[in-house]
Amino acid sequence: MNPMKIMAAFNTFRSNHPKVVEFFQVVFGQRVEEGTIIEISVTKPGEETITTNMKVKQSDIELFDELKNMSRY
């Protein structure tokens, strides 16, 4: 995993989708509590929308915290 490639790809993603990045910064910038529901929908061209959700567990919070810590390096 090349950190420079990841950073370049993320910068491109941020340029292409600033509202998505801002959304995640607002939501995950604060502590996500256990029991929070996260829902994701995807609509491909010409197809029906599919949606799923998850109820956040303590182990998910620990993963989110680890990912936040990784992003600081």
Coordinates of all heavy atoms in Angstrom, one line a residue:
M1 N 0.9 -1.2 0.0 CA 0.0 0.0 0.0 C 0.9 1.2 0.0 O 1.6 1.5 1.0 CB -0.9 0.0 1.2 CG -1.8 1.1 1.3 SD -3.2 1.0 2.5 CE -2.7 0.0 3.8
N2 N 0.9 2.0 -1.1 CA 1.7 3.1 -1.2 C 1.0 4.4 -0.7 O 0.0 4.8 -1.3 CB 2.1 3.3 -2.7 CG 3.0 4.5 -3.0 OD1 3.0 5.5 -2.2 ND2 3.7 4.4 -4.0
P3 N 1.4 5.0 0.4 CA 0.7 6.1 1.0 C 0.6 7.3 0.0 O -0.4 8.0 0.1 CB 1.6 6.5 2.2 CG 2.4 5.3 2.5 CD 2.6 4.5 1.2
M4 N 1.6 7.5 -0.8 CA 1.5 8.6 -1.7 C 0.4 8.4 -2.8 O -0.3 9.4 -3.2 CB 2.9 8.8 -2.4 CG 4.0 9.2 -1.5 SD 3.7 10.7 -0.5 CE 3.9 11.9 -1.8
K5 N 0.3 7.2 -3.3 CA -0.8 6.9 -4.2 C -2.2 7.0 -3.6 O -3.1 7.5 -4.2 CB -0.6 5.5 -4.8 CG 0.4 5.3 -5.9 CD 0.4 3.9 -6.5 CE 1.3 3.8 -7.6 NZ 1.3 2.5 -8.2
I6 N -2.3 6.6 -2.4 CA -3.5 6.7 -1.6 C -3.9 8.1 -1.5 O -5.1 8.6 -1.7 CB -3.5 5.9 -0.3 CG1 -3.4 4.4 -0.5 CG2 -4.7 6.3 0.6 CD1 -3.1 3.6 0.7
M7 N -2.9 9.0 -1.0 CA -3.2 10.4 -0.8 C -3.6 11.1 -2.1 O -4.5 11.9 -2.1 CB -1.9 11.0 -0.2 CG -2.2 12.3 0.5 SD -3.3 11.9 1.9 CE -3.7 13.6 2.3
A8 N -2.9 10.7 -3.2 CA -3.2 11.3 -4.5 C -4.6 10.9 -4.9 O -5.4 11.8 -5.4 CB -2.2 10.9 -5.6
A9 N -5.0 9.7 -4.8 CA -6.3 9.2 -5.1 C -7.4 9.9 -4.3 O -8.4 10.3 -4.8 CB -6.4 7.7 -5.0
F10 N -7.1 10.0 -3.0 CA -8.0 10.7 -2.1 C -8.2 12.2 -2.5 O -9.3 12.7 -2.5 CB -7.6 10.6 -0.6 CG -8.6 11.3 0.3 CD1 -9.9 10.8 0.5 CD2 -8.3 12.5 0.9 CE1 -10.8 11.5 1.3 CE2 -9.2 13.2 1.7 CZ -10.4 12.7 1.9
N11 N -7.1 12.8 -2.8 CA -7.2 14.2 -3.3 C -8.1 14.4 -4.5 O -8.8 15.3 -4.7 CB -5.8 14.8 -3.5 CG -5.1 15.1 -2.1 OD1 -5.8 15.3 -1.1 ND2 -3.8 15.1 -2.2
T12 N -7.9 13.4 -5.5 CA -8.7 13.4 -6.7 C -10.2 13.2 -6.3 O -11.1 13.9 -6.8 CB -8.3 12.3 -7.6 OG1 -6.9 12.6 -8.0 CG2 -9.1 12.3 -8.9
F13 N -10.5 12.2 -5.4 CA -11.8 12.0 -4.9 C -12.4 13.2 -4.3 O -13.6 13.6 -4.6 CB -11.8 10.8 -3.9 CG -13.2 10.4 -3.5 CD1 -14.0 9.5 -4.2 CD2 -13.7 11.0 -2.3 CE1 -15.2 9.1 -3.8 CE2 -15.0 10.6 -1.9 CZ -15.7 9.7 -2.6
R14 N -11.6 13.9 -3.5 CA -12.1 15.1 -2.8 C -12.5 16.2 -3.8 O -13.5 16.9 -3.7 CB -11.1 15.6 -1.8 CG -11.5 16.8 -1.0 CD -10.5 17.4 -0.1 NE -9.2 16.7 0.0 CZ -8.6 16.5 1.1 NH1 -9.0 17.0 2.2 NH2 -7.4 15.9 1.1
S15 N -11.7 16.3 -4.9 CA -11.9 17.3 -5.9 C -13.2 17.0 -6.7 O -14.0 17.8 -7.1 CB -10.8 17.4 -6.9 OG -9.6 17.9 -6.2
N16 N -13.4 15.7 -7.0 CA -14.5 15.2 -7.7 C -15.8 15.2 -6.9 O -16.9 15.4 -7.5 CB -14.3 13.8 -8.3 CG -13.2 13.8 -9.4 OD1 -12.9 14.8 -10.0 ND2 -12.6 12.6 -9.5
H17 N -15.7 15.0 -5.6 CA -16.9 14.8 -4.8 C -16.8 15.6 -3.5 O -16.9 15.0 -2.4 CB -17.1 13.3 -4.5 CG -17.0 12.4 -5.7 ND1 -18.0 12.4 -6.7 CD2 -16.0 11.6 -6.1 CE1 -17.6 11.5 -7.6 NE2 -16.4 11.1 -7.3
P18 N -16.7 16.9 -3.5 CA -16.5 17.7 -2.3 C -17.7 17.5 -1.3 O -17.4 17.5 -0.1 CB -16.4 19.1 -2.8 CG -17.0 19.1 -4.1 CD -16.8 17.8 -4.7
K19 N -18.9 17.4 -1.8 CA -20.0 17.3 -0.8 C -20.0 16.0 -0.1 O -20.4 15.9 1.1 CB -21.4 17.4 -1.6 CG -21.6 18.8 -2.1 CD -23.0 18.8 -2.8 CE -23.2 20.2 -3.4 NZ -24.5 20.3 -4.1
V20 N -19.5 14.9 -0.7 CA -19.4 13.6 0.0 C -18.4 13.7 1.1 O -18.6 13.2 2.2 CB -19.1 12.5 -1.0 CG1 -18.9 11.2 -0.3 CG2 -20.3 12.3 -2.0
V21 N -17.2 14.2 0.7 CA -16.1 14.4 1.7 C -16.6 15.2 2.9 O -16.4 14.9 4.1 CB -14.9 14.9 1.1 CG1 -13.8 15.2 2.1 CG2 -14.3 14.0 0.0
E22 N -17.3 16.3 2.6 CA -17.8 17.2 3.7 C -18.8 16.4 4.5 O -18.8 16.5 5.8 CB -18.4 18.4 3.1 CG -18.9 19.4 4.1 CD -19.6 20.6 3.5 OE1 -19.2 21.0 2.4 OE2 -20.5 21.2 4.1
F23 N -19.7 15.7 3.9 CA -20.7 14.9 4.7 C -20.0 13.9 5.7 O -20.3 13.9 6.8 CB -21.5 14.1 3.7 CG -22.5 13.1 4.3 CD1 -23.7 13.6 4.8 CD2 -22.1 11.8 4.4 CE1 -24.5 12.7 5.5 CE2 -23.0 10.9 5.0 CZ -24.2 11.3 5.6
F24 N -19.0 13.2 5.2 CA -18.3 12.3 6.0 C -17.5 13.0 7.1 O -17.4 12.5 8.3 CB -17.4 11.3 5.2 CG -18.1 10.2 4.6 CD1 -18.2 10.2 3.2 CD2 -18.8 9.3 5.3 CE1 -18.9 9.1 2.5 CE2 -19.5 8.2 4.7 CZ -19.5 8.2 3.3
Q25 N -17.0 14.1 6.8 CA -16.2 14.9 7.9 C -17.2 15.3 9.0 O -16.9 15.3 10.1 CB -15.5 16.1 7.2 CG -14.3 15.7 6.4 CD -13.7 16.9 5.7 OE1 -14.4 17.9 5.4 NE2 -12.4 16.8 5.4
V26 N -18.4 15.8 8.6 CA -19.4 16.2 9.6 C -19.9 15.0 10.4 O -19.9 15.0 11.6 CB -20.6 16.9 8.9 CG1 -21.7 17.1 9.9 CG2 -20.2 18.2 8.3
V27 N -20.2 13.9 9.7 CA -20.8 12.8 10.4 C -19.7 12.1 11.3 O -19.9 11.8 12.5 CB -21.4 11.7 9.4 CG1 -21.8 10.4 10.1 CG2 -22.6 12.3 8.8
F28 N -18.5 11.8 10.7 CA -17.5 11.0 11.4 C -16.5 11.9 12.2 O -15.7 11.4 12.9 CB -16.8 10.1 10.5 CG -17.7 9.0 10.0 CD1 -18.2 9.0 8.7 CD2 -18.1 8.0 10.8 CE1 -19.0 8.0 8.2 CE2 -19.0 7.0 10.4 CZ -19.4 7.0 9.1
G29 N -16.7 13.3 12.0 CA -15.8 14.2 12.8 C -16.2 14.2 14.2 O -15.4 14.5 15.1
Q30 N -17.5 13.9 14.5 CA -18.0 13.7 15.9 C -18.0 12.2 16.2 O -17.9 11.4 15.3 CB -19.4 14.2 16.0 CG -19.6 15.6 15.5 CD -21.0 16.0 15.4 OE1 -21.9 15.2 15.7 NE2 -21.3 17.2 14.8
R31 N -18.0 11.9 17.4 CA -18.1 10.5 17.8 C -19.4 9.9 17.4 O -20.4 10.4 17.7 CB -17.9 10.3 19.3 CG -17.8 8.9 19.7 CD -16.7 8.7 20.8 NE -16.7 7.4 21.3 CZ -15.8 6.5 20.8 NH1 -14.9 6.8 19.9 NH2 -15.8 5.3 21.3
V32 N -19.3 8.8 16.6 CA -20.5 8.0 16.3 C -20.9 7.1 17.4 O -20.0 6.4 17.9 CB -20.3 7.2 15.0 CG1 -21.5 6.4 14.6 CG2 -19.9 8.1 13.8
E33 N -22.1 7.2 17.9 CA -22.5 6.4 19.1 C -23.0 5.0 18.7 O -23.5 4.8 17.6 CB -23.6 7.2 19.8 CG -23.3 8.5 20.3 CD -24.4 9.2 20.9 OE1 -25.4 8.6 21.3 OE2 -24.3 10.5 21.1
E34 N -22.8 4.1 19.6 CA -23.4 2.8 19.4 C -24.9 2.9 19.2 O -25.5 3.7 19.9 CB -23.0 1.9 20.6 CG -23.4 0.4 20.4 CD -22.8 -0.5 21.5 OE1 -22.2 0.1 22.4 OE2 -23.1 -1.7 21.4
G35 N -25.4 2.2 18.3 CA -26.9 2.2 18.0 C -27.2 3.2 16.9 O -28.4 3.2 16.4
T36 N -26.3 4.0 16.4 CA -26.5 4.8 15.3 C -26.8 4.0 14.0 O -26.1 2.9 13.9 CB -25.2 5.7 15.0 OG1 -25.0 6.6 16.1 CG2 -25.4 6.6 13.8
I37 N -27.7 4.4 13.2 CA -28.0 3.7 12.0 C -27.3 4.4 10.8 O -27.5 5.6 10.6 CB -29.5 3.6 11.7 CG1 -30.3 3.0 12.9 CG2 -29.8 2.9 10.4 CD1 -30.0 1.5 13.1
I38 N -26.5 3.6 10.0 CA -25.9 4.2 8.8 C -26.6 3.5 7.6 O -26.7 2.2 7.6 CB -24.4 3.9 8.8 CG1 -23.7 4.6 10.0 CG2 -23.8 4.4 7.5 CD1 -22.3 4.4 10.1
E39 N -27.1 4.3 6.7 CA -27.8 3.7 5.6 C -27.2 4.2 4.3 O -26.8 5.4 4.2 CB -29.3 4.2 5.6 CG -30.1 3.6 4.5 CD -31.6 3.9 4.7 OE1 -32.2 3.1 5.5 OE2 -32.1 4.8 4.1
I40 N -27.0 3.3 3.3 CA -26.4 3.6 2.1 C -27.3 3.1 0.9 O -27.8 2.0 1.0 CB -25.0 2.9 2.0 CG1 -24.1 3.3 3.1 CG2 -24.4 3.1 0.6 CD1 -22.8 2.5 3.2
S41 N -27.4 4.0 -0.1 CA -28.2 3.7 -1.3 C -27.3 3.8 -2.5 O -26.5 4.8 -2.5 CB -29.4 4.6 -1.4 OG -30.3 4.4 -0.4
V42 N -27.5 2.9 -3.5 CA -26.8 3.0 -4.7 C -27.8 2.9 -5.9 O -28.6 1.9 -5.9 CB -25.7 1.9 -4.8 CG1 -25.0 2.0 -6.2 CG2 -24.7 2.1 -3.7
T43 N -27.7 3.8 -6.8 CA -28.5 3.7 -8.0 C -27.6 3.7 -9.2 O -26.9 4.7 -9.5 CB -29.5 4.9 -8.1 OG1 -30.2 5.0 -6.9 CG2 -30.4 4.8 -9.3
K44 N -27.5 2.6 -9.9 CA -26.7 2.5 -11.1 C -27.6 3.0 -12.3 O -28.8 2.8 -12.3 CB -26.3 1.1 -11.4 CG -25.3 0.6 -10.3 CD -24.8 -0.8 -10.6 CE -23.8 -1.3 -9.6 NZ -23.4 -2.7 -9.8
P45 N -27.0 3.5 -13.4 CA -27.8 4.0 -14.5 C -28.7 2.8 -15.0 O -28.2 1.7 -15.3 CB -26.7 4.4 -15.5 CG -25.5 4.7 -14.7 CD -25.6 3.8 -13.6
G46 N -30.0 3.1 -15.2 CA -30.9 2.2 -15.7 C -31.3 1.0 -14.8 O -32.0 0.1 -15.2
E47 N -30.9 1.1 -13.5 CA -31.2 0.0 -12.6 C -32.0 0.6 -11.4 O -32.0 1.8 -11.1 CB -29.9 -0.7 -12.1 CG -29.2 -1.4 -13.2 CD -28.0 -2.2 -12.7 OE1 -28.0 -2.5 -11.5 OE2 -27.1 -2.5 -13.5
E48 N -32.6 -0.3 -10.6 CA -33.3 0.1 -9.4 C -32.3 0.4 -8.3 O -31.2 -0.1 -8.3 CB -34.2 -1.1 -8.9 CG -35.3 -1.4 -9.9 CD -36.4 -0.3 -9.9 OE1 -36.7 0.2 -8.8 OE2 -36.9 0.0 -11.0
T49 N -32.7 1.3 -7.4 CA -31.9 1.7 -6.3 C -31.8 0.5 -5.3 O -32.9 -0.1 -5.0 CB -32.4 2.9 -5.6 OG1 -32.5 4.0 -6.5 CG2 -31.7 3.3 -4.3
I50 N -30.7 0.2 -4.8 CA -30.5 -0.8 -3.7 C -30.0 -0.1 -2.5 O -29.2 0.9 -2.5 CB -29.7 -2.0 -4.1 CG1 -28.2 -1.5 -4.5 CG2 -30.3 -2.8 -5.2 CD1 -27.3 -2.7 -4.6
T51 N -30.6 -0.5 -1.3 CA -30.3 0.2 -0.1 C -30.0 -0.8 1.0 O -30.6 -1.9 1.0 CB -31.5 1.1 0.4 OG1 -31.8 2.0 -0.6 CG2 -31.2 1.8 1.7
T52 N -29.0 -0.5 1.9 CA -28.7 -1.3 3.0 C -28.5 -0.4 4.2 O -28.3 0.8 4.0 CB -27.5 -2.3 2.8 OG1 -27.5 -3.2 3.8 CG2 -26.2 -1.5 2.7
N53 N -28.5 -1.0 5.4 CA -28.2 -0.2 6.5 C -27.5 -1.1 7.6 O -27.5 -2.3 7.5 CB -29.4 0.5 7.1 CG -30.4 -0.5 7.6 OD1 -30.1 -1.4 8.4 ND2 -31.7 -0.3 7.2
M54 N -26.9 -0.4 8.5 CA -26.2 -1.1 9.6 C -26.4 -0.4 10.9 O -26.5 0.9 10.9 CB -24.7 -1.3 9.4 CG -23.9 0.0 9.3 SD -22.2 -0.3 9.1 CE -21.6 -0.1 10.8
K55 N -26.6 -1.1 12.0 CA -26.6 -0.5 13.3 C -25.2 -0.6 13.9 O -24.6 -1.6 14.0 CB -27.6 -1.2 14.3 CG -27.7 -0.5 15.6 CD -28.7 -1.3 16.5 CE -30.1 -0.8 16.2 NZ -31.0 -1.4 17.2
V56 N -24.6 0.6 14.3 CA -23.3 0.7 14.7 C -23.1 -0.1 16.0 O -23.9 0.2 17.0 CB -22.8 2.1 14.8 CG1 -21.4 2.2 15.4 CG2 -22.9 2.8 13.5
K57 N -22.1 -0.9 16.1 CA -21.7 -1.7 17.3 C -20.4 -1.1 17.9 O -19.7 -0.4 17.2 CB -21.5 -3.2 17.0 CG -22.8 -3.8 16.5 CD -22.6 -5.3 16.2 CE -23.9 -5.9 15.7 NZ -23.8 -7.3 15.5
Q58 N -20.1 -1.5 19.1 CA -18.9 -1.0 19.7 C -17.6 -1.4 18.9 O -16.7 -0.6 18.7 CB -18.7 -1.6 21.1 CG -17.5 -1.0 21.9 CD -17.4 0.5 22.0 OE1 -18.4 1.1 22.2 NE2 -16.3 1.0 21.8
S59 N -17.6 -2.6 18.3 CA -16.5 -3.0 17.5 C -16.3 -2.1 16.2 O -15.2 -1.8 15.8 CB -16.6 -4.4 17.1 OG -17.8 -4.6 16.3
D60 N -17.5 -1.6 15.7 CA -17.4 -0.6 14.6 C -16.8 0.7 15.0 O -16.0 1.3 14.2 CB -18.8 -0.4 14.0 CG -19.5 -1.7 13.6 OD1 -18.9 -2.5 13.0 OD2 -20.7 -1.8 13.8
I61 N -17.2 1.2 16.2 CA -16.6 2.4 16.7 C -15.1 2.3 16.8 O -14.3 3.2 16.5 CB -17.3 2.8 18.0 CG1 -18.7 3.1 17.8 CG2 -16.5 4.0 18.7 CD1 -19.6 3.2 19.0
E62 N -14.6 1.1 17.3 CA -13.2 0.9 17.5 C -12.5 0.9 16.1 O -11.4 1.5 16.0 CB -13.0 -0.4 18.2 CG -13.4 -0.3 19.7 CD -13.5 -1.7 20.3 OE1 -13.1 -2.7 19.7 OE2 -14.0 -1.7 21.5
L63 N -13.1 0.4 15.1 CA -12.6 0.4 13.7 C -12.5 1.8 13.2 O -11.5 2.3 12.7 CB -13.4 -0.5 12.8 CG -13.0 -0.4 11.3 CD1 -11.6 -0.9 11.1 CD2 -14.0 -1.2 10.5
F64 N -13.6 2.6 13.4 CA -13.6 4.0 12.9 C -12.5 4.8 13.6 O -11.8 5.6 13.0 CB -15.0 4.7 13.3 CG -16.2 4.1 12.6 CD1 -17.4 4.2 13.1 CD2 -16.1 3.4 11.4 CE1 -18.6 3.7 12.5 CE2 -17.2 2.8 10.8 CZ -18.4 3.0 11.3
D65 N -12.3 4.5 14.9 CA -11.2 5.2 15.6 C -9.9 4.9 15.1 O -9.0 5.7 14.9 CB -11.3 4.9 17.1 CG -12.5 5.6 17.8 OD1 -13.1 6.5 17.2 OD2 -12.8 5.2 18.9
E66 N -9.6 3.6 14.8 CA -8.4 3.2 14.2 C -8.1 3.8 12.8 O -7.0 4.3 12.5 CB -8.3 1.7 14.1 CG -8.1 1.0 15.4 CD -6.8 1.3 16.1 OE1 -5.8 1.5 15.4 OE2 -6.8 1.5 17.3
L67 N -9.2 3.9 12.0 CA -9.1 4.5 10.7 C -8.8 6.0 10.8 O -8.0 6.5 10.0 CB -10.3 4.3 9.9 CG -10.6 2.8 9.5 CD1 -12.0 2.7 8.8 CD2 -9.5 2.3 8.5
K68 N -9.4 6.7 11.8 CA -9.1 8.1 12.0 C -7.6 8.2 12.4 O -7.0 9.1 11.9 CB -10.0 8.6 13.1 CG -11.4 9.0 12.7 CD -12.0 9.8 13.8 CE -13.4 9.4 14.0 NZ -14.1 10.0 15.1
N69 N -7.1 7.4 13.3 CA -5.7 7.5 13.7 C -4.8 7.2 12.6 O -3.8 7.9 12.5 CB -5.5 6.4 14.8 CG -6.1 6.8 16.1 OD1 -6.4 8.0 16.4 ND2 -6.4 5.8 17.0
M70 N -5.1 6.3 11.7 CA -4.3 6.0 10.5 C -4.2 7.3 9.6 O -3.2 7.5 9.0 CB -4.8 4.9 9.7 CG -4.6 3.5 10.3 SD -5.3 2.2 9.3 CE -4.7 2.5 7.7
S71 N -5.3 8.0 9.5 CA -5.3 9.1 8.5 C -4.5 10.3 9.0 O -4.2 11.2 8.3 CB -6.8 9.6 8.3 OG -7.3 10.2 9.5
R72 N -4.1 10.3 10.3 CA -3.2 11.3 10.8 C -1.8 11.2 10.5 O -1.0 12.1 10.7 CB -3.4 11.4 12.3 CG -4.8 11.8 12.8 CD -4.9 11.9 14.3 NE -6.2 12.3 14.6 CZ -7.0 11.7 15.5 NH1 -6.4 10.8 16.2 NH2 -8.2 12.1 15.8
Y73 N -1.4 10.0 9.9 CA 0.0 9.8 9.6 C 0.3 10.1 8.2 O -0.4 10.2 7.3 CB 0.4 8.3 9.9 CG 0.3 8.0 11.3 CD1 -0.8 7.2 11.8 CD2 1.2 8.5 12.2 CE1 -0.9 6.9 13.1 CE2 1.1 8.2 13.6 CZ 0.0 7.4 14.0 OH -0.1 7.1 15.4

